[in-house]
Amino acid sequence: MPAPRPTDAALPAVGLHRFNEADPGAAEEALLACCGSHRWALRLTAHRPYPDLESLLAAASEASYDLRPSDLAEALADESWMPQPLLGMRAPGSQAAHTALRAAHAAYEARFGHVFVVSLFGVEPEEMLDTVLSSIRTRLTNEPDEERLVAAEELRRIALNRLEHLVASSSS
């Protein structure tokens, strides 16, 4: 893996400055794109400015751990309207995989009452479908209270990854 270029390393600071200086409503809206809990977004907005990306991510992680059941339900409901396509779904045999994935998602939602979330950060594109199918099948065996904790942790990981990309973006 090549070393980061100096301009790449500077991007988070530029995005962080814009985030810190944004109007509270704009900052909250940007945060809601990372995690659909209004309480989470308001908390992070209220504690600005953040001195660096690590501080922002630590605050976001802490806010994620403090989500109440209603906050988690709100965030999970928000995930249901923005499904993430899986790369490689056009590969040979993908129609059967797509059917299996739809069936697994339906079984999961019927059992737990919310959408399935899993962080795919760091998973190679060709492994995503297998990872999702394996994860959903494994998690279908969880008890509801256990699965709520697992879903909350996956949602936290997803939100942190989205937040990192948001702050690194030149349009944040």
Side-chain angles (χ1 to χ4, degrees):
M1 182 171 178
R5 296 177 308 184
T7 55
D8 292 342
L11 282 176
V14 172
L16 181 63
H17 176 74
R18 287 184 180 157
F19 172 74
N20 281 332
E21 297 297 319
D23 169 83
E28 182 183 347
E29 283 301 312
L31 289 166
L32 286 170
C34 300
C35 176
S37 164
H38 282 83
R39 185 170 172 256
W40 183 87
L42 285 169
R43 181 174 170 176
L44 291 176
T45 299
H47 289 100
R48 293 177 306 154
Y50 295 95
D52 52 40
L53 178 60
E54 292 75 24
S55 298
L56 174 59
L57 294 175
S61 189
E62 182 181 325
S64 295
Y65 288 126
D66 290 343
L67 291 178
R68 297 178 296 216
S70 60
D71 302 323
L72 178 59
E74 178 185 36
L76 288 168
D78 188 64
E79 291 295 316
S80 68
W81 70 267
M82 53 180 182
Q84 302 297 315
L86 290 177
L87 302 177
M89 287 300 289
R90 296 175 195 246
S94 66
Q95 184 64 27
H98 190 66
T99 300
L101 188 59
R102 274 198 314 265
H105 275 280
Y108 181 93
E109 287 187 41
R111 175 153 167 72
F112 298 113
H114 59 80
V115 297
F116 174 77
V117 291
V118 64
S119 173
L120 295 173
F121 179 71
V123 176
E124 295 296 325
E126 62 275 4
E127 297 173 8
M128 287 182 176
L129 182 59
D130 288 339
T131 299
V132 171
L133 282 170
S134 174
S135 295
I136 202 167
R137 287 179 180 143
T138 299
R139 289 172 51 190
L140 274 167
T141 66
N142 289 346
E143 292 299 319
D145 287 341
E146 177 186 14
E147 181 53 28
R148 198 170 1 271
L149 293 173
V150 173
E153 175 59 18
E154 291 296 323
L155 191 61
R156 184 189 71 79
R157 292 176 61 210
I158 291 166
L160 291 178
N161 185 257
R162 289 175 181 165
L163 183 56
E164 191 168 3
H165 281 90
L166 170 79
V167 174
S169 168
S170 61
S171 64
S172 58

